[in-house]
Amino acid sequence: MKNPYRHNVVLGVFKLKLKTLNTPSLEEAAAFIKSALLEKATIIIIGECRVDYEGRGASRLELGERFVVIKQDGSVLVHRPTGFSPVNWQPPASVIEVAFRREIGLLVHAVRESPREYLTVVFTRVNLVVSAKLVDAGEFVMYVDEPTMRDVIAETPSLVEEGLRVLAVEKPVGSGKVDLYGVDKNGRPVLVELKRTTATREAAIQLKHYVEAFKREHGQQPRGILVAPAFSPSAIETLLRLGLEYRHVDLKKVWLLVKQKQRKRIPSLEDFSKK
Amino acid sequence: MKNPYRHNVVLGVFKLKLKTLNTPSLEEAAAFIKSALLEKATIIIIGECRVDYEGRGASRLELGERFVVIKQDGSVLVHRPTGFSPVNWQPPASVIEVAFRREIGLLVHAVRESPREYLTVVFTRVNLVVSAKLVDAGEFVMYVDEPTMRDVIAETPSLVEEGLRVLAVEKPVGSGKVDLYGVDKNGRPVLVELKRTTATREAAIQLKHYVEAFKREHGQQPRGILVAPAFSPSAIETLLRLGLEYRHVDLKKVWLLVKQKQRKRIPSLEDFSKK
DNA sequence: CTATGCATGTCGATA
DNA sequence: TATCGACGTGCATAG
């Protein structure tokens, strides 16, 4: 047989280089995957497998149908048919070995140093293997996130309080950095801690830490204001108990200001959805 | 043409039901994916795409080659050729729509309510589509995690301190729960906070919160002990400043005790790896 | 449903 | 390399 792979198809040589291998024997699959690893391709394996992991934690996954992804940087993902998270994985830069063992099956072994971790996938059946050399230089921009929110409020401090003047962002205080530092209309120092999502008790405690560190370092008691779109009950209880303040911020207002700054309008997703 | 799909292959009907579609037109891909969605299959699309997201945040990903997974429960993952994390995603139970638009391309639109979030993938080229009905009832056991560590130490408190008696696990204190509550050999109350990984300043602050809440509720100052395999410098600094204690715990010892309790030995991964 | 805390969290920035 | 804090964190669990 000239070609050791059944149903082997090579497509789009000049663009995405992609190969598929349908219903191979485990031995054929092993050869195909080894070759794809040498090419540093992204590999997707669909079939029936068991998974063992040992490292920072330890787990065992019994037999079932899943798909396994080996990426071009050595990361490995084992995905079940439901759920966002992979059930098992190995981070980038893992060393990957593939072997066929007659008595066991197709082994995909990923090892990582520091911390030392092992992931072993044992396939008892392979339905499909895909190998693809993906080229992806597309820019990724997250344009509504915590840094954005911080910058917008730094430029428009009235969103927090009238008369507030912001003097620094990410000001080092103690062993950390407070999001915003400024003075209020009475000239009193103000520390602002920002949360993009609902603020928890932890955020209140974090702010308290900054307030105390500031007092130790500057000998002056600053106001501490926690700014967030919402607050958990325990956050409010803790804030009041610790003598701190809080302000709601309307994320929609922040977004509006962000979009005003961005000249080129980003098309709404509604434009794509049907009426 | 009887079959609207080129290179359509149906395999393993009695086991994993899998179909592939090679180098389809965008229109063919749309039809194939719609059909697969009706079957509630796991779908993998490999090709060139752009991605927009808007919801809790907002992002745009420019053109590049990726693979997109639509799982049987409505979760969507957009993966670049490197990295553990998907660059974009939609959680389970999202509503998915697929459409072909001559001027735009192949649209995969995933919408989620509460919070309202949109994900739109626009394919300009599709190299491969895979549809697979995966059946996965395999049990997943994580046998070294924080609850395990807590239970082991609860049964063997000498790992923390000689003479310590544990009276409660997950004891409610204030608005949270402390991992272990007990009394030392002198009858003084002890609160133990456990970390499975290196303890940070946050962990120390969390423990302090429990100690203060306990004092408020019981009128008695308890000892607070942070137990972890390692401690960051700022954690130690904070612990000392707050009058708290810390103890190293050897995870290997904990594992040994776990494995002793588990009668059936879990096979080592070394058994699979070559000599 | 919200609130809370763990996670093999991952990831990026920084010292 | 280790530490630190954000994350569209996800996720289970308790109330």
Side-chain angles (χ1 to χ4, degrees):
Chain A
M1 202 194 298
K2 274 178 298 185
N3 188 328
Y5 310 130
R6 262 181 287 161
H7 313 297
N8 192 0
V9 184
V10 181
L11 303 163
V13 172
F14 300 103
K15 299 287 263 177
L16 192 155
K17 193 174 167 188
L18 189 143
K19 296 179 197 174
T20 61
L21 180 66
N22 282 309
T23 55
S25 71
L26 296 175
E27 202 162 1
E28 287 170 337
F32 183 93
I33 295 165
K34 280 178 188 173
S35 159
L37 283 173
L38 288 176
E39 292 176 21
K40 291 210 174 297
T42 293
I43 303 162
I44 302 175
I45 310 163
I46 303 179
E48 188 184 60
C49 63
R50 255 183 267 275
V51 186
D52 278 292
Y53 159 74
E54 193 166 321
R56 287 167 293 176
S59 69
R60 157 156 287 200
L61 175 62
E62 296 298 346
L63 212 59
E65 293 174 343
R66 291 125 203 170
F67 69 92
V68 173
V69 178
I70 305 172
K71 286 198 183 184
Q72 299 172 190
D73 61 352
S75 36
V76 180
L77 309 170
V78 182
H79 271 281
R80 311 189 82 167
T82 59
F84 163 89
S85 303
V87 59
N88 282 111
W89 70 92
Q90 198 68 281
S94 300
V95 176
I96 293 154
E97 284 175 21
V98 174
F100 167 69
R101 297 291 177 84
R102 189 172 306 282
E103 338 78 60
I104 304 172
L106 168 62
L107 304 180
V108 178
H109 195 66
V111 183
R112 171 202 194 192
E113 303 294 334
S114 164
R116 190 157 185 88
E117 295 186 297
Y118 304 80
L119 176 70
T120 304
V121 185
V122 181
F123 278 95
T124 53
R125 172 169 38 92
V126 172
N127 293 79
L128 182 73
V129 189
V130 180
S131 156
K133 282 285 272 187
L134 300 179
V135 178
D136 181 2
E139 191 191 12
F140 178 72
V141 190
M142 176 70 80
Y143 57 93
V144 178
D145 53 7
E146 202 267 352
T148 309
M149 178 175 163
R150 191 217 310 129
D151 296 345
V152 167
I153 292 178
E155 286 187 25
T156 317
S158 62
L159 286 168
V160 172
E161 183 176 278
E162 283 303 327
L164 177 65
R165 282 188 305 132
V166 172
L167 302 175
V169 298
E170 294 287 297
K171 182 184 173 65
V173 174
S175 61
K177 291 179 191 167
V178 69
D179 290 317
L180 296 176
Y181 162 68
V183 292
D184 67 14
K185 62 178 187 292
N186 301 317
R188 190 163 167 214
V190 178
L191 303 184
V192 177
E193 175 70 19
L194 293 174
K195 289 294 161 197
R196 205 184 45 75
T197 54
T198 303
T200 63
R201 171 167 50 77
E202 289 305 308
I205 293 171
Q206 191 179 357
L207 176 57
K208 177 67 172 177
H209 168 81
Y210 290 134
V211 167
E212 291 188 341
F214 186 95
K215 193 180 172 186
R216 278 200 305 277
E217 292 171 1
H218 298 82
Q220 191 177 10
Q221 175 81 31
R223 291 169 61 197
I225 308 179
L226 187 55
V227 174
F231 300 84
S232 79
S234 69
I236 292 175
E237 181 272 327
T238 306
L239 286 161
L240 296 177
R241 186 163 51 76
L242 299 178
L244 302 170
E245 306 167 54
Y246 62 99
R247 299 281 185 283
H248 291 269
V249 64
D250 187 348
L251 275 190
K252 288 289 169 204
K253 281 186 190 171
V254 174
W255 283 42
L256 233 82
L257 289 168
V258 171
K259 290 188 177 177
Q260 277 177 15
K261 280 203 299 183
Q262 292 199 351
R263 289 299 155 82
K264 55 168 189 180
R265 175 177 168 277
I266 288 127
S268 161
L269 293 170
E270 296 293 355
D271 300 345
F272 293 131
S273 62
K274 63 187 186 192
K275 298 302 170 303
Chain B
M1 204 196 297
K2 273 178 299 187
N3 189 326
Y5 310 131
R6 262 182 286 161
H7 314 298
N8 192 2
V9 184
V10 182
L11 304 162
V13 173
F14 299 103
K15 297 288 263 177
L16 191 156
K17 192 174 167 187
L18 189 143
K19 296 178 196 173
T20 61
L21 179 66
N22 281 310
T23 54
S25 72
L26 297 175
E27 201 163 1
E28 287 170 337
F32 183 93
I33 295 164
K34 280 178 186 171
S35 159
L37 282 172
L38 288 175
E39 291 176 22
K40 289 206 175 299
T42 294
I43 303 162
I44 302 175
I45 311 165
I46 302 178
E48 188 185 60
C49 64
R50 252 185 270 275
V51 186
D52 278 292
Y53 160 74
E54 192 166 321
R56 287 169 292 176
S59 69
R60 157 156 286 203
L61 176 63
E62 296 298 346
L63 212 58
E65 293 175 343
R66 290 124 203 170
F67 68 92
V68 173
V69 178
I70 305 172
K71 286 197 183 186
Q72 298 171 192
D73 62 352
S75 34
V76 180
L77 309 169
V78 182
H79 272 281
R80 310 189 83 169
T82 59
F84 163 88
S85 301
V87 60
N88 281 111
W89 71 93
Q90 199 67 283
S94 301
V95 176
I96 293 156
E97 285 174 21
V98 173
F100 167 70
R101 298 290 178 84
R102 190 172 305 282
E103 338 77 62
I104 305 173
L106 168 61
L107 305 179
V108 178
H109 195 66
V111 183
R112 171 201 195 190
E113 304 293 333
S114 162
R116 190 155 185 88
E117 294 186 297
Y118 304 80
L119 176 70
T120 303
V121 185
V122 181
F123 278 96
T124 53
R125 172 169 39 90
V126 172
N127 292 78
L128 181 73
V129 189
V130 180
S131 156
K133 283 284 274 187
L134 301 178
V135 177
D136 181 1
E139 189 191 14
F140 177 72
V141 190
M142 175 69 79
Y143 56 91
V144 178
D145 51 10
E146 201 269 353
T148 309
M149 177 176 166
R150 192 219 307 130
D151 295 346
V152 166
I153 292 178
E155 285 187 25
T156 316
S158 63
L159 286 167
V160 173
E161 182 177 280
E162 283 303 327
L164 177 66
R165 283 188 302 134
V166 172
L167 301 176
V169 298
E170 295 286 294
K171 182 183 174 66
V173 175
S175 61
K177 290 178 192 169
V178 69
D179 289 318
L180 295 176
Y181 162 68
V183 291
D184 67 13
K185 61 179 188 292
N186 301 319
R188 190 163 167 212
V190 177
L191 303 184
V192 177
E193 175 70 19
L194 293 174
K195 288 295 160 197
R196 202 183 45 75
T197 54
T198 303
T200 63
R201 173 165 51 81
E202 289 304 308
I205 292 171
Q206 190 180 358
L207 176 57
K208 176 67 173 176
H209 167 80
Y210 291 134
V211 166
E212 291 188 343
F214 186 95
K215 191 180 173 186
R216 278 200 305 278
E217 291 170 2
H218 298 82
Q220 191 178 11
Q221 175 81 32
R223 292 170 59 198
I225 307 179
L226 187 54
V227 175
F231 300 83
S232 79
S234 70
I236 292 175
E237 182 272 327
T238 305
L239 286 161
L240 295 177
R241 185 163 52 77
L242 299 178
L244 301 169
E245 305 167 56
Y246 62 99
R247 298 279 185 283
H248 290 269
V249 65
D250 187 346
L251 275 189
K252 288 287 169 205
K253 282 188 189 171
V254 174
W255 285 39
L256 232 84
L257 288 167
V258 171
K259 290 186 179 179
Q260 276 177 18
K261 281 204 299 185
Q262 291 196 355
R263 290 297 157 82
K264 53 169 189 179
R265 172 179 169 277
I266 289 132
S268 161
L269 293 171
E270 296 293 352
D271 299 348
F272 293 130
S273 60
K274 62 187 188 191
K275 298 303 168 306

